[in-house]
Amino acid sequence: MEEYVLLFRLDILTKEIQPSPEQMQVYMKQYQDWVGGIAAQNKFVGGTGLSTEGKVVKHPSVVTDGPYVDIKESLAGFISVRASDFEDALRMAKECPILGGAGNSVEVRKVVSVHDNKK
């Protein structure tokens, strides 16, 4: 099994497509069930959601507000999964319930190196 990261991007700017609090509860339940299905297959490694606030640091140490205001898609979070190959990871991504939202996407990336924290 290899490790992959699924990056979730959501349109957080278009007011007309933002879910109501009630819809958000339904969506979160669908998301949790989807992750639970991955975990039940022993393929879930971990993950987290991200706030919409942030800063971007560019060369040479220039700090700007981020995520970028002019880009509709914002990185909302990620999970790491174990998959037999890229197609298996892609299959998991295609089943992600956030894809039901206009402007949302899931990017799949293979983890090619791991930083060793042991000294």
Side-chain angles (χ1 to χ4, degrees):
M1 293 287 232
E2 300 172 310
E3 189 170 336
Y4 293 82
V5 174
L6 308 184
L7 302 164
F8 308 123
R9 289 193 171 82
L10 306 176
D11 178 348
I12 61 170
L13 294 181
T14 307
K15 291 191 186 279
E16 303 81 47
I17 66 170
Q18 299 309 309
S20 68
E22 295 79 20
Q23 290 171 314
M24 189 58 123
Q25 286 182 339
V26 171
Y27 297 157
M28 287 306 297
K29 170 83 168 80
Q30 292 171 341
Y31 174 80
Q32 290 167 350
D33 289 347
W34 173 72
V35 171
I38 294 170
Q41 299 172 57
N42 198 31
K43 292 183 174 183
F44 181 74
V45 176
T48 190
L50 302 171
S51 79
T52 57
E53 301 169 358
K55 299 282 183 183
V56 176
V57 182
K58 293 183 177 182
H59 176 79
S61 298
V62 175
V63 178
T64 61
D65 288 335
Y68 299 106
V69 177
D70 57 337
I71 298 175
K72 286 186 177 184
E73 282 189 343
S74 176
L75 186 58
F78 65 90
I79 63 171
S80 295
V81 297
R82 282 185 285 276
S84 55
D85 55 25
F86 194 87
E87 289 302 315
D88 187 28
L90 192 59
R91 180 195 53 76
M92 286 184 245
K94 287 180 178 178
E95 295 172 354
C96 181
I98 74 155
L99 294 174
N104 297 348
S105 66
V106 179
E107 181 179 344
V108 180
R109 296 278 194 100
K110 182 178 178 182
V111 176
V112 293
S113 66
V114 177
H115 299 284
D116 187 3
N117 291 332
K118 300 173 186 165
K119 292 186 177 187

